[in-house]
Amino acid sequence: MIKPNELEPLPEPGQGKRGKDGYLGYLLRQAASIYRNRVDHALRDLSLTQPQFSVMTMLNAYPGHSSADLARLALLTPQTMSVIVSNLIKQQYIVRHAHPVHGRIQVLQLTESGQQMLSTAKQRVYAIDNEMTRSLSETDEAIIKNWLSQMARS
Amino acid sequence: MIKPNELEPLPEPGQGKRGKDGYLGYLLRQAASIYRNRVDHALRDLSLTQPQFSVMTMLNAYPGHSSADLARLALLTPQTMSVIVSNLIKQQYIVRHAHPVHGRIQVLQLTESGQQMLSTAKQRVYAIDNEMTRSLSETDEAIIKNWLSQMARS
DNA sequence: CTTATATCAGGTACACTGATATTC
DNA sequence: CGAATATCAGTGAACCTGATATAA
């Protein structure tokens, strides 16, 4: 029986030290997975998943965009985004409207209850975020943010 | 129609500046999602998923452990890990053996072809990792690694 | 005709809960 | 008995590919 702490950061014992490469991706995956676990857990009783929260956040920041727009933003296929959007519509957190000019595009918007839900969810998620940065100095945080957003842009 | 670069890091325009909190988690999610996308794409023609790769990596570093052990390590339920393990057994990348002492535990091990597959997959994943760190100085990389592993430990 | 949007159909891996049998 | 392991069953969100209809 293994307790998690017994073998954490997984330095790959039998393979010789690998100082730089490979290691950072593993850590990123691990950290993101733990972050995701916490977010999922914090949103569970709201019946909100992390991708749903993410879509609502995007829609709040950039209202009036379509499912295809969101798919591009999140680097997902239109079909996948369509499922997430459908689930949000089912929960009545967002609504579809016909595009004023373009006859085919369905423009999305947060509903009243969607905004309330997002606000509640944000409080919990931001609490987790704050916990994450608590031990960081200003400069270190800037370095990390810089690196992460550089990755996100590429 | 939106091109991704038009509205990237998502500074949440209508809400006032939020300098520290909330932002880092969003970036972490975004970066991890992009990293995951790349890894998935790199492994797709190997018919290997990222969780499967992760489990094989764990098993390679710490051979002879059980599905329950891996579940604890990856912070997943035993049932979830059981599914991932089953899929790997179906592909004949790992095998089950009875525990020498404990009659109930099924000890897991990479097969020959599992090791070959892992080796191939690692090359691709590590190439992505190297790409990620290319722009970083030694000290910045250390800061980031430090932060990530601190998160993974907590 | 080509491109973009939306959506239907089908499939799979992954994640959960709940229940059960077995073993220590 | 309780605790840990494994596994059955069912559910659901999320991802994919492929095909189709419609609008610019």
Side-chain angles (χ1 to χ4, degrees), chain B residues 112-128:
Chain B
E112 194 71 34
S113 77
Q115 279 173 5
Q116 283 174 15
M117 175 54 71
L118 179 58
S119 169
T120 304
K122 266 189 177 174
Q123 282 179 15
R124 304 193 187 183
V125 173
Y126 287 168
I128 297 172

Side-chain angles (χ1 to χ4, degrees), chain A residues 30-80:
Chain A
Q30 196 81 357
S33 149
I34 283 163
Y35 175 76
R36 192 197 166 118
N37 259 331
R38 286 192 203 162
V39 171
D40 281 351
H41 187 261
L43 299 181
R44 184 154 305 163
D45 60 302
L46 300 179
S47 292
L48 207 63
T49 67
Q50 198 241 21
Q52 285 170 359
F53 173 74
S54 186
V55 163
M56 288 174 74
T57 302
M58 289 194 287
L59 214 44
N60 187 51
Y62 303 101
H65 287 300
S66 69
S67 180
D69 289 334
L70 298 179
R72 270 188 297 273
L73 261 181
L75 301 178
L76 299 176
T77 61
Q79 295 94 322
T80 295

Side-chain angles (χ1 to χ4, degrees), chain A residues 23-139:
Chain A
Y23 198 42
L24 193 58
Y26 172 79
L27 285 178
L28 178 62
R29 185 166 52 230
Q30 196 81 357
S33 149
I34 283 163
Y35 175 76
R36 192 197 166 118
N37 259 331
R38 286 192 203 162
V39 171
D40 281 351
H41 187 261
L43 299 181
R44 184 154 305 163
D45 60 302
L46 300 179
S47 292
L48 207 63
T49 67
Q50 198 241 21
Q52 285 170 359
F53 173 74
S54 186
V55 163
M56 288 174 74
T57 302
M58 289 194 287
L59 214 44
N60 187 51
Y62 303 101
H65 287 300
S66 69
S67 180
D69 289 334
L70 298 179
R72 270 188 297 273
L73 261 181
L75 301 178
L76 299 176
T77 61
Q79 295 94 322
T80 295
M81 185 54 75
S82 180
V83 172
I84 302 173
V85 163
S86 293
N87 286 329
L88 283 171
I89 290 175
K90 222 182 296 168
Q91 294 174 284
Q92 302 194 321
Y93 292 148
I94 64 179
V95 285
R96 262 188 293 249
H97 292 300
H99 191 280
V101 182
H102 194 300
R104 187 99 181 114
I105 295 178
Q106 298 286 315
V107 158
L108 301 174
Q109 200 177 8
L110 284 176
T111 62
E112 195 71 33
S113 77
Q115 281 175 5
Q116 282 174 16
M117 176 55 72
L118 179 58
S119 169
T120 305
K122 266 188 178 174
Q123 282 180 14
R124 304 193 187 183
V125 173
Y126 288 169
I128 297 171
D129 284 21
N130 286 334
E131 179 73 22
M132 257 173 17
T133 52
R134 222 163 31 90
S135 65
L136 287 175
S137 71
E138 292 279 337
T139 54

Side-chain angles (χ1 to χ4, degrees), chain B residues 49 51-52 76-77 79-80 84 87 102-104:
Chain B
T49 67
Q52 286 169 359
L76 299 176
T77 60
Q79 295 94 323
T80 295
I84 302 173
N87 286 329
H102 193 299
R104 187 100 181 112

